[in-house]
Amino acid sequence: MTTPIVVGNWKMNTTADQARQLAEQICSQVTERALDTRTTVVLCPPFVNLSAVGEVIEDRPIALGAQNCWSEPYGAFTGEISAAMLRAVGCRYVIVGHSERRTIFREDDQLIVRKLERVWEEKLVPILCIGETLAERQLHQTWDVLSRQLALVSAHSSRTRAWICAYEPVWAIGTGIAATAEEIEQAHAYLRSFLDAHGCHHVPLLYGGSVTEENAASIAAIAHVDGVLVGGASLVAERFLRIIQAQANA
Ligand code: PEP
């Protein structure tokens, strides 16, 4: 583990002007507060704002990421975006398998693995999201679900393939109800040992799900939390900066 990773997933929010402004505020403060040497910050705006944000963060210590990509390299896939296009626009990271993609757009593990292959082909770093639903947790299926979601991926992973794993319990995303410290600790301990047992010692493990400036410090202090994936709170510069600060101080 090098520096903690903080990813801002802006989802379907911001126009180009708003995206530029938000990126500018985050960038200037990250540098001014000397957070760049102690954290890796990744901004994931909507596809159409990648260029605008890319221009703002060029030559600055913040990386560009996309929220998704398609599983084929090019062709007749109306409305889709390829990993090569993302690389060309300056992305270094791509979120893959976010729970909103899995539930609203019915993405399954097989499709997600094909996307990962494409992202790796383009030498980008996938941020793979995994997590159980509330029903699965209540039925005591959490470990089975996480193992299933990871097993396919770790079979395709290798020491030379960089990727990041984000544990995001579905019931905690956008609900304002983050997992408790105990729940995060248990899940991360389980996932860390799963990853290590499958030769993925090099894979950082992030937590995501209602991370705020209030709970950021306590989450940052939990064992095996190598950073956070932030949705709602990443849309307000000062809130996001406080979350970055908490990771930098951990
Ligand atoms: C997310 O989008 O992955 C997320 C964790 O959202 P939020 O922080 O709003 O729960």
Side-chain angles (χ1 to χ4, degrees), residues 9 11 98 100 168 172-175 208-211 229-233:
N9 174 16
K11 310 196 188 195
H98 190 279
E100 286 152 17
E168 298 210 299
I173 298 177
T175 58
S210 296
V211 176
L229 200 169
V230 187

Side-chain angles (χ1 to χ4, degrees), residues 94-113:
V94 187
I95 297 173
V96 176
H98 190 279
S99 76
E100 286 152 17
R101 301 294 318 174
R102 291 179 192 259
T103 53
I104 304 170
F105 302 98
R106 307 248 185 276
E107 293 192 3
D108 61 19
D109 289 332
Q110 279 73 24
L111 175 64
I112 288 164
V113 167

Side-chain angles (χ1 to χ4, degrees), residues 1-6 30 34-42 61-63 226-227 241 243-250:
M1 160 78 187
T2 47
T3 54
I5 301 163
V6 185
V30 160
L35 297 171
D36 48 323
T37 52
R38 292 179 287 150
T39 54
T40 298
V41 179
V42 184
I62 288 202
D226 302 322
L241 285 157
I243 294 169
I244 299 169
Q245 182 82 59
Q247 285 292 326
N249 294 346

Side-chain angles (χ1 to χ4, degrees), residues 66-138:
Q67 299 173 17
N68 181 34
C69 71
W70 187 235
S71 58
E72 298 302 320
Y74 57 85
F77 302 100
T78 302
E80 290 296 340
I81 304 280
S82 72
M85 293 172 191
L86 297 177
R87 188 166 56 81
V89 85
C91 285
R92 283 171 48 203
Y93 298 86
V94 187
I95 297 173
V96 176
H98 190 279
S99 76
E100 286 152 17
R101 301 294 318 174
R102 291 179 192 259
T103 53
I104 304 170
F105 302 98
R106 307 248 185 276
E107 293 192 3
D108 61 19
D109 289 332
Q110 279 73 24
L111 175 64
I112 288 164
V113 167
R114 293 206 303 278
K115 289 187 176 194
L116 289 173
E117 288 290 348
R118 206 56 68 196
V119 171
W120 278 320
E121 246 171 52
E122 293 301 327
K123 308 271 184 287
L124 299 173
V125 178
I127 302 169
L128 172 74
C129 299
I130 59 169
E132 79 288 0
T133 63
L134 185 58
E136 288 163 344
R137 176 162 279 267
Q138 286 168 342

